[in-house]
Amino acid sequence: MLVLGLETSCDETGVALYDSERGLLADALFSQIDLHRVFGGVVPELASRDHVKRTLPLIKQVLADAGHEAKDIGGIAYTAGPGLVGALLVGASCAQALAFAWDVPSIGVHHMEGHLLAPMLEEHPPKFPFVALLVSGGHTQLVRVDGIGRYQLLGESIDDAAGEAFDKTAKMLGLNYPGGPEIARLAEQGVAKRFKLPRPMTDRPGLEFSFSGLKTSTLNAWQKSVAQGDGGEQTKADLAHAFQAAVVDTLTIKCRRALEQTGLNSLVIAGGVSANQALRVSLESMLKKLGGKVFYARPRFCTDNGAMIAYAGCQRLLAGQREGLEINVRARWPMTELVPL
């Protein structure tokens, strides 16, 4: 089955063609980072309008790149949530209209399931069961995965997600949006251990996360340095290093707990923050000591993209799942509500 995937959950328009026999054939992405950077974050109305502008041209581009025509499409997958409702509606409306016009089935895909399954696009994909760490702008979750749709939530953030904490901390330090890559870049120039920041909720049992306190500790350290006349670029770099190290250590400790709790030794990391190299190195080192392995997608499939939606949608379409003609999207959508295959 040849499936067209559309991703419009936030500020990136992603389109891809996935074939159940041949794999990923083509994908294209338009990022709105430059559009939103001046505002220091995503403006929902602008995001929706830009998706309207970009989606159809990207579909035409992907079809041309793959050497296929509309008549070859066997199904359409689109992100139905969670995300910005206006942005989601653009992709859902486009997908449902094309599915009706082309007389093919459609399926709404859970955005985080798409991220979770993105490593399946790689040459050596993980095998079920495994523990997944989902770390993106709005989510930090540990999930036991026994199959597609067979998810057990082990723990999640009770306040800011890791990605949110990266973005907000970067803004406090006067860095550009999006903050994650900026913090990571600056951290490379930082001096280790100059600032000591907390590893939140690691001194107690459990698999929940909390990053708001870490963000506050970073702000306090920055304001104190500025008040002492030491608010230069090196101080920013040292703080970025300390902040990133605290997040990485916290995530690594909780991942180890989750693996020990479940008795599994395979870990998947997915979502935008999974592209962070310091996090990958830390988790790889931890899994090596446990005799296990960590899996992740190539960097361009860590952030929002159409390929992950096309793959996830293809699996559900092959299993016989279909949508009606209604256009339904959800700003919030617990992944544990998904139907198992």
Side-chain angles (χ1 to χ4, degrees):
M1 175 182 278
L2 183 63
V3 176
L4 175 69
L6 306 181
E7 156 59 24
T8 63
S9 66
C10 190
D11 62 339
E12 285 164 325
T13 312
V15 178
L17 272 180
Y18 181 85
D19 187 271
S20 56
E21 299 296 328
R22 295 176 291 164
L24 183 65
L25 303 183
D27 71 284
L29 182 75
F30 183 86
S31 175
Q32 301 176 6
I33 286 177
D34 290 340
L35 176 65
H36 299 288
R37 179 174 285 134
V38 65
F39 302 102
V42 177
V43 180
E45 176 65 20
L46 295 180
S48 302
R49 289 178 179 274
D50 204 66
H51 286 310
V52 172
K53 180 180 179 181
R54 308 292 177 182
T55 303
L56 285 177
L58 286 178
I59 292 173
K60 293 178 180 178
Q61 177 186 329
V62 165
L63 285 170
D65 290 346
H68 279 283
E69 299 177 3
K71 63 181 178 62
D72 302 324
I73 301 296
I76 302 178
Y78 61 93
T79 305
L84 302 175
V85 169
L88 291 168
L89 283 170
V90 175
S93 300
C94 181
Q96 292 289 56
L98 291 177
F100 179 77
W102 296 343
D103 193 24
V104 296
S106 63
I107 186 74
V109 173
H110 192 290
H111 180 72
M112 295 311 294
E113 181 173 70
H115 275 305
L116 187 153
L117 297 177
M120 298 296 184
L121 295 165
E122 302 303 319
E123 185 177 356
H124 301 290
K127 295 180 180 180
F128 302 114
F130 54 78
V131 170
L133 171 67
L134 302 178
V135 274
S136 66
H139 298 82
T140 299
Q141 299 177 325
L142 279 166
V143 181
R144 177 185 173 120
V145 181
D146 289 296
I148 296 178
R150 298 170 62 194
Y151 310 129
Q152 177 189 356
L153 180 63
L154 302 174
E156 61 184 338
S157 180
I158 62 175
D159 44 51
D160 284 354
E164 286 179 292
F166 266 106
D167 286 340
K168 291 176 180 178
T169 299
K171 190 171 184 178
M172 290 187 308
L173 295 177
L175 304 179
N176 285 330
Y177 172 84
E182 291 295 308
I183 290 283
R185 176 190 59 78
L186 197 58
E188 294 179 358
Q189 307 165 31
V191 175
K193 300 182 179 180
R194 176 184 170 188
F195 293 98
K196 186 176 182 180
L197 298 176
R199 274 58 177 163
M201 299 187 74
T202 58
D203 59 347
R204 68 189 77 176
L207 296 173
E208 283 71 37
F209 301 91
S210 172
F211 293 104
S212 63
L214 172 60
K215 180 186 63 181
T216 301
S217 294
T218 307
L219 175 61
N220 291 338
W222 171 242
Q223 290 178 336
K224 182 178 179 180
S225 295
V226 171
Q228 295 174 344
D230 188 17
E233 290 303 309
Q234 187 58 52
T235 297
K236 283 187 182 181
D238 295 345
L239 260 177
H241 187 285
F243 173 82
Q244 178 175 261
V247 173
V248 167
D249 286 351
T250 300
L251 294 175
T252 301
I253 290 169
K254 294 302 179 83
C255 283
R256 182 179 185 117
R257 286 184 188 176
L259 291 166
E260 292 172 345
Q261 178 178 309
T262 58
L264 300 175
N265 66 352
S266 291
L267 176 71
V268 164
I269 55 172
V273 182
S274 69
N276 183 282
Q277 290 300 310
L279 177 60
R280 291 188 176 192
V281 169
S282 178
L283 292 175
E284 286 173 347
S285 176
M286 185 264 288
L287 264 296
K288 185 176 181 180
K289 293 176 183 177
L290 295 179
K293 189 174 181 180
V294 61
F295 298 85
Y296 41 76
R298 71 200 82 167
R300 69 190 181 102
F301 292 151
C302 290
T303 54
D304 296 350
N305 63 89
M308 67 183 192
I309 302 303
Y311 176 85
C314 183
Q315 309 315 305
R316 292 192 171 273
L317 287 169
L318 289 173
Q321 294 187 18
R322 303 287 190 273
E323 299 286 355
L325 294 178
E326 302 85 3
I327 298 175
N328 295 315
V329 298
R330 299 176 63 175
R332 297 172 182 253
W333 188 5
M335 201 163 63
T336 50
E337 293 182 3
L338 294 176
V339 177
L341 299 191

